[in-house]
Amino acid sequence: MTTASDLQEHPLNQVHRLIEPGPVILVTTRHEGIPNVMTNGFNMMVRHEPPLIGCTIGPWDHSYAALRATDECVISIPGSELAEIVVDVGNCSGQEVDKFQTFDLTPVDAESVQAPLIAECFANIECRVVDTALVDSYDLFVLEAVKAWVDPSRTDPQMFHHRGDGTFTLDGETVDLQDRMTKWQYLL
Ligand SMILES: Cc1cc2nc3c(=O)[nH]c(=O)nc-3n(C[C@H](O)[C@H](O)[C@H](O)COP(=O)(O)O)c2cc1C
């Protein structure tokens, strides 16, 4: 039987590496006409209907000011083929560089928000900020998805997840356990 003495204490400042967040996403904004994009690993679904997404974006990011000023963004979901670009996007600021130009990302007009979609991403979600109650304390924006797009040519996109230290896990095999989802039929 395993006892506590068989286990190794894990540093609390590394707990984020145990609980993997959602996929690495790109968040685009458009402030005073200028589009920008940042990389985000701390995100999660909060509610199915309406679709609400929690996203931690800190005041050290240029995107934070854009989001506070406009209350709009797009969550663009990159496939693993974009992993290197996505990390580079998260290692510089829109305050200094035009990231769309520098990283050869193609902005596409969204329908419901001013922030652009990204053509190279397999999915794009147009979002509005609906709750800022936790922004001052946790930099946590609650976003409502108001429009979503997928690229139909991308039949099997592979998301990737930050392990918190510059290493990433790529999505792997899909396991189908739908026949056990007896209580949650409406999700299938
Ligand atoms: C893999 C990765 C994940 C990141 N996750 C977040 C995050 O969840 N929240 C955040 O505020 N910044 C995160 N960052 C940092 C921002 O992407 C970074 O500060 C970026 O330069 C901000 O761009 P901006 O100043 O143009 O807004 C992440 C960076 C990387 C490389």
Side-chain angles (χ1 to χ4, degrees):
M1 194 180 77
T2 305
T3 65
S5 62
D6 297 320
L7 306 175
Q8 191 180 36
E9 188 170 350
H10 193 72
L12 289 178
N13 67 0
Q14 298 295 314
V15 164
H16 66 287
R17 295 185 54 194
L18 298 177
I19 303 177
E20 188 187 293
V24 179
I25 57 176
L26 294 170
V27 179
T28 80
T29 47
R30 190 190 300 272
H31 187 29
E32 293 169 350
I34 301 170
N36 188 33
V37 54
M38 67 164 284
T39 303
N40 179 283
F42 277 17
N43 58 76
M44 64 180 286
M45 283 306 299
V46 174
R47 181 165 291 171
H48 288 105
E49 193 58 51
L52 299 182
I53 301 159
C55 214
T56 301
I57 296 177
W60 54 86
D61 298 319
H62 191 51
S63 305
Y64 175 93
L67 199 51
R68 294 231 78 168
T70 63
D71 281 336
E72 292 182 352
C73 66
V74 168
I75 289 180
S76 301
I77 310 176
S80 58
E81 74 284 355
L82 294 177
E84 291 177 359
I85 289 176
V86 168
V87 171
D88 292 349
V89 165
N91 278 272
C92 62
S93 177
Q95 215 155 17
E96 280 107 38
V97 279
D98 176 344
K99 295 200 227 179
F100 278 92
Q101 195 170 44
T102 306
F103 300 111
D104 229 1
L105 294 169
T106 314
V108 174
D109 281 348
E111 216 170 84
S112 308
V113 299
Q114 295 297 313
L117 316 176
I118 299 179
E120 288 76 12
C121 288
F122 71 84
N124 283 276
I125 307 169
E126 301 180 20
C127 295
R128 288 221 175 83
V129 175
V130 289
D131 194 339
T132 56
L134 295 174
V135 172
D136 283 345
S137 44
Y138 296 111
D139 308 324
L140 179 59
F141 292 82
V142 179
L143 308 171
E144 179 175 347
V146 292
K147 195 111 211 164
W149 308 95
V150 293
D151 180 345
S153 71
R154 301 287 300 275
T155 49
D156 197 14
Q158 183 181 48
M159 291 184 285
F160 59 103
H161 307 257
H162 191 205
R163 295 170 56 130
D165 63 349
T167 64
F168 296 83
T169 305
L170 310 189
D171 276 356
E173 202 183 327
T174 298
V175 179
D176 183 350
L177 299 176
Q178 285 187 327
D179 59 346
R180 303 176 86 93
M181 294 283 280
T182 50
K183 195 173 169 183
W184 307 107
Q185 284 292 311
Y186 72 93
L187 293 178
L188 310 185

